Amino acid sequence: MPLIEDTNEQYAYARSIGQPDWTPEAVPFKELLRASYRMDNTIGSYFARNSDLPDSEVNNESFNPWDHLTDDEKIDKKCVSHAALADTVDELNAVRSQMDRENSDRQTIADGGMMGYVTGAIVGVADPINLIPVGGTSFATYRTGASILKGAAATASVAAGSQALVEAALHPTQLTRTFG
């Protein structure tokens, strides 16, 4: 009895509930890499930051940003907290554009699936804060011929500390980054 490949087997559930066949669009690798650099690399995030964002003090007391916010923006705590420092409509629009770009980058990375994870790993390894301490600890372990387990523990503790530094450096450059 020959084995016959059933090409329709994969789509049986979708057809049974009346769903059309759907295949997700692939996100281009270049676009994923750009989004990852803007979101997960300290240098990329610093240079991607909108230069028109409000500073940390209100200089124009007569401008009320609340009057210019949409209803959706008024219920978004992050948007309100950043928009409260705006002195002009241009600064308010800069907050909107920065938040939109960050949300778009997060969505792009999520839509990338496994490749979004891969680009995040590439960008994380290329971050200068990670290169020096982690590479130095790994090299020192290799050069001295120390125990691999001890070297791995030392490298992991240095990597945890450098990742904390990366997060601390990314928070001031991004409006939508969370602490959790």
Side-chain angles (χ1 to χ4, degrees):
M1 178 170 159
L3 297 175
I4 300 172
E5 183 178 335
D6 184 5
T7 57
N8 296 325
E9 184 177 323
Q10 303 173 26
Y11 303 104
Y13 182 71
R15 278 196 322 243
S16 68
I17 60 172
Q19 294 282 329
D21 291 342
W22 177 78
T23 55
E25 289 185 30
V27 180
F29 182 77
K30 196 175 187 180
E31 189 177 327
L32 275 171
L33 198 59
R34 285 184 183 147
S36 291
Y37 260 104
R38 287 190 296 258
M39 295 307 297
D40 297 328
N41 187 286
T42 53
I43 292 178
S45 181
Y46 176 78
F47 286 116
R49 185 175 164 91
N50 193 329
S51 61
D52 294 333
L53 288 172
D55 52 10
S56 60
E57 57 189 52
V58 176
N59 299 325
N60 183 358
E61 298 284 337
S62 64
F63 180 75
N64 185 4
W66 187 262
D67 296 337
H68 300 277
L69 293 176
T70 64
D71 291 337
D72 289 336
E73 291 171 337
K74 287 179 181 179
I75 59 173
D76 183 1
K77 288 181 182 180
K78 282 223 178 249
C79 182
V80 170
S81 68
H82 291 292
L85 299 172
D87 294 326
T88 63
V89 174
D90 291 337
E91 287 184 355
L92 186 60
N93 288 335
V95 168
R96 287 177 176 139
S97 120
Q98 177 84 12
M99 291 182 83
D100 288 346
R101 199 208 70 244
E102 289 176 17
N103 290 331
S104 171
D105 285 346
R106 275 198 181 77
Q107 189 60 47
T108 299
I109 293 167
D111 290 345
M114 185 62 178
M115 286 308 293
Y117 174 77
V118 169
T119 57
I122 291 169
V123 167
V125 168
D127 197 309
I129 294 176
N130 287 334
L131 287 177
I132 297 169
V134 175
T137 305
S138 300
F139 180 72
T141 300
Y142 168 75
R143 192 181 71 197
T144 60
S147 164
I148 292 175
L149 189 57
K150 286 182 184 177
T155 303
S157 64
V158 169
S162 67
Q163 188 58 38
L165 287 174
V166 167
E167 284 298 317
L170 287 173
H171 274 281
T173 62
Q174 297 177 12
L175 302 180
T176 60
R177 196 163 194 93
T178 61
F179 288 106

